[in-house]
Amino acid sequence: MELPHYPPLQRSDIVAWLRETSEARLEELWRRADLVRQQSVGGEVHLRGLIEISNHCIRLCGYCGLRVDHRELPRYRMTADEIMACVQEGVAFGYGSVVLQAGEDPRILADWMADVVRRIKADSPMAVTLSLGERDYDELALWRAAGADRYLLRFETSNRELFERIHPPHPGRVSDRIAILGTLRRLGYEVGSGVMIGIPGQSFDDLAGDLELFRALNLDMIGVGPFLMHPETPLADPQQQSVAAPGEQVPASELMTYKVIALARLLCPRANIPSTTALATLNKNSGRELGLVRGANIVMPNLTPPKYRVHYEIYPNKACIQESAGLCHQCMEVRIKSIGRTRGSGRGDSPNYVAR
Ligand code: SAM
Ligand code: SF4
């Protein structure tokens, strides 16, 4: 099948799609994104096993329930053996990779993490993705040398002033996630980033800028999801909420999330793009499937033991919070089959990374 030729999307086209309300026009966007997805990354849906290894965090992100001053949240940090037990479950389910995610937790020591990466690489054929926040160059280099393949760090919003408002720097440090993404690229990682959709204060133009930045950064993986308000965070406080000018504020809606997934696919055809848990939280019945038929090609079943998973509460009412790893796995398989797609085999490296 030949890809029809579409002229490259400009900022004004992106804004127009983000504001589009005609169902018929949007059907055209979904069709295009699905076609480009099929042509660029194929019909397979890759499964990544997510292990939420620690919910300790030293940061004060205005949006996230793991922020350090959310004192009521019971905190946990998994042991290396507990992580390895989850990894073995992932192997048994045939996953091609695991994602180890955590708050920004300095007690995840660099050498300890490097050992865990080495153990996973020695005991399984899986690719290892890390998502541990803003870490120093030496740590990122050490983990890469230990065998880590990929790193995920969302820049959250390309509007620098908004980013600084919702993501205060840690005292004595500069928070420059774009610079860290450059470092990750130079270290040879497969690089992933993304944004939240509908952050209070995020305008349509900001979101179009985010999408353009995905293209400029030539990302290998792109994760986007709606902003979901956590009552114990500053962004839930009406006094502290600043919204964009009238008619400019992006809604944190399911529809807007599909638009961003579809546009990300058109702008970065060979990137791996997940249909995220935050999207599934807005539509538990069919959010995952709709993301997959509107540009996405990845799902991330949760391998975290349920006793910990309930405390990885970045926002309330998270999808899949009570399920065991086995149930999550079966559920994803059924959903993939229901849309006529197949499960990916192998590590599912980003074709963008492979081409580079
Ligand atoms: N601590 C690491 C970091 O910040 O990159 C990784 C874990 S953090 C929980 C992973 C992602 O969760 C963030 O990049 C952010 O986009 C998302 N997130 C946090 N709070 C959220 C919220 N209230 N609604 C939607 N997504 C949220
Ligand atoms: Fe910590 Fe990441 Fe949540 Fe920020 S988004 S508070 S760094 S876990």
Side-chain angles (χ1 to χ4, degrees):
M1 203 189 339
E2 264 297 288
L3 248 192
H5 178 74
Y6 299 116
L9 290 172
Q10 307 298 326
R11 171 80 68 114
S12 54
D13 305 319
I14 300 173
V15 172
W17 277 121
L18 295 174
R19 289 184 177 278
E20 184 60 63
T21 54
S22 150
E23 279 186 28
R25 291 273 299 141
L26 287 171
E27 280 305 326
E28 168 63 15
L29 178 63
W30 313 145
R31 202 187 59 78
R32 266 201 222 179
D34 200 41
L35 191 61
V36 172
R37 188 268 312 148
Q38 180 64 35
Q39 292 282 328
S40 311
V41 295
E44 291 190 328
V45 177
H46 293 283
L47 286 85
R48 320 290 197 211
L50 176 65
I51 312 177
E52 294 152 335
I53 65 173
S54 162
N55 72 348
H56 288 268
C57 188
I58 54 168
R59 304 300 294 255
L60 278 167
C61 302
Y63 42 89
C64 177
L66 304 192
R67 67 201 307 272
V68 64
D69 71 352
H70 184 196
R71 309 264 172 227
E72 282 74 46
L73 182 70
R75 303 282 173 165
Y76 71 88
R77 188 177 296 110
M78 290 173 68
T79 65
D81 286 343
E82 286 175 322
I83 295 171
M84 290 311 295
C86 295
V87 166
Q88 287 316 326
E89 269 194 288
V91 172
F93 294 141
Y95 296 164
S97 66
V98 275
V99 180
L100 307 186
Q101 198 186 75
E104 218 165 282
D105 178 3
R107 295 195 44 202
I108 294 181
L109 299 176
D111 288 334
W112 177 86
M113 194 69 242
D115 279 345
V116 172
V117 171
R118 275 191 288 270
R119 275 179 75 177
I120 299 173
K121 300 299 284 192
D123 291 5
S124 83
M126 288 196 282
V128 174
T129 305
L130 301 178
S131 177
L132 306 174
E134 296 164 28
R135 305 288 301 225
D136 292 339
Y137 175 87
D138 291 350
E139 299 176 307
L140 299 173
L142 181 72
W143 299 336
R144 175 78 187 129
D149 302 275
R150 308 173 182 154
Y151 203 97
L152 298 175
L153 185 72
R154 290 184 177 184
F155 60 77
E156 314 295 1
T157 167
S158 56
N159 176 333
R160 186 73 207 171
E161 190 257 313
L162 177 60
F163 178 73
E164 279 169 13
R165 186 150 26 99
I166 63 171
H167 184 88
H170 192 61
R173 281 173 50 182
V174 181
S175 211
D176 191 344
R177 290 191 163 206
I178 307 294
I180 298 174
L181 292 172
T183 300
L184 292 166
R185 157 92 19 112
R186 284 190 293 282
L187 287 169
Y189 280 97
E190 232 177 277
V191 179
S193 192
V195 296
M196 286 178 291
I197 297 159
I199 305 165
Q202 181 186 49
S203 69
F204 285 97
D205 201 52
D206 291 335
L207 187 53
D210 298 346
L211 281 152
E212 287 190 316
L213 189 52
F214 294 163
R215 175 168 59 189
L217 291 169
N218 190 18
L219 293 174
D220 303 315
M221 304 173 282
I222 299 171
V224 297
F227 161 69
L228 297 164
M229 194 183 285
H230 191 298
E232 299 303 322
T233 60
L235 284 191
D237 176 357
Q239 305 282 311
Q240 293 200 38
Q241 286 229 20
S242 64
V243 289
E248 289 302 323
Q249 172 63 46
V250 172
S253 67
E254 187 187 344
L255 179 64
M256 191 58 65
T257 307
Y258 298 132
K259 290 181 183 179
V260 176
I261 290 177
L263 290 165
R265 174 59 66 204
L266 299 186
L267 290 159
C268 304
R270 292 178 307 191
N272 278 335
I273 302 180
S275 188
T276 56
T277 304
L279 173 58
T281 298
L282 284 188
N283 177 351
K284 293 196 167 90
N285 286 334
S286 57
R288 293 236 194 240
E289 291 88 328
L290 286 169
L292 287 172
V293 298
R294 294 173 176 178
N297 69 323
I298 303 284
V299 289
M300 294 172 63
N302 202 322
L303 289 171
T304 316
K307 68 173 176 181
Y308 294 136
R309 193 187 291 206
V310 289
H311 300 311
Y312 201 80
E313 196 204 56
I314 55 185
Y315 46 76
N317 304 317
K318 209 167 150 204
C320 317
I321 198 93
Q322 304 289 353
E323 281 86 347
S324 64
L327 268 180
C328 242
H329 172 70
Q330 280 169 18
C331 167
M332 295 291 183
E333 293 225 307
V334 169
R335 289 176 191 274
I336 293 167
K337 273 206 193 110
S338 77
I339 53 168
R341 301 261 283 278
T342 51
R343 237 189 92 162
S345 55
R347 292 165 32 121
D349 287 308
S350 158
N352 197 52
Y353 177 78
V354 174
R356 212 170 52 241

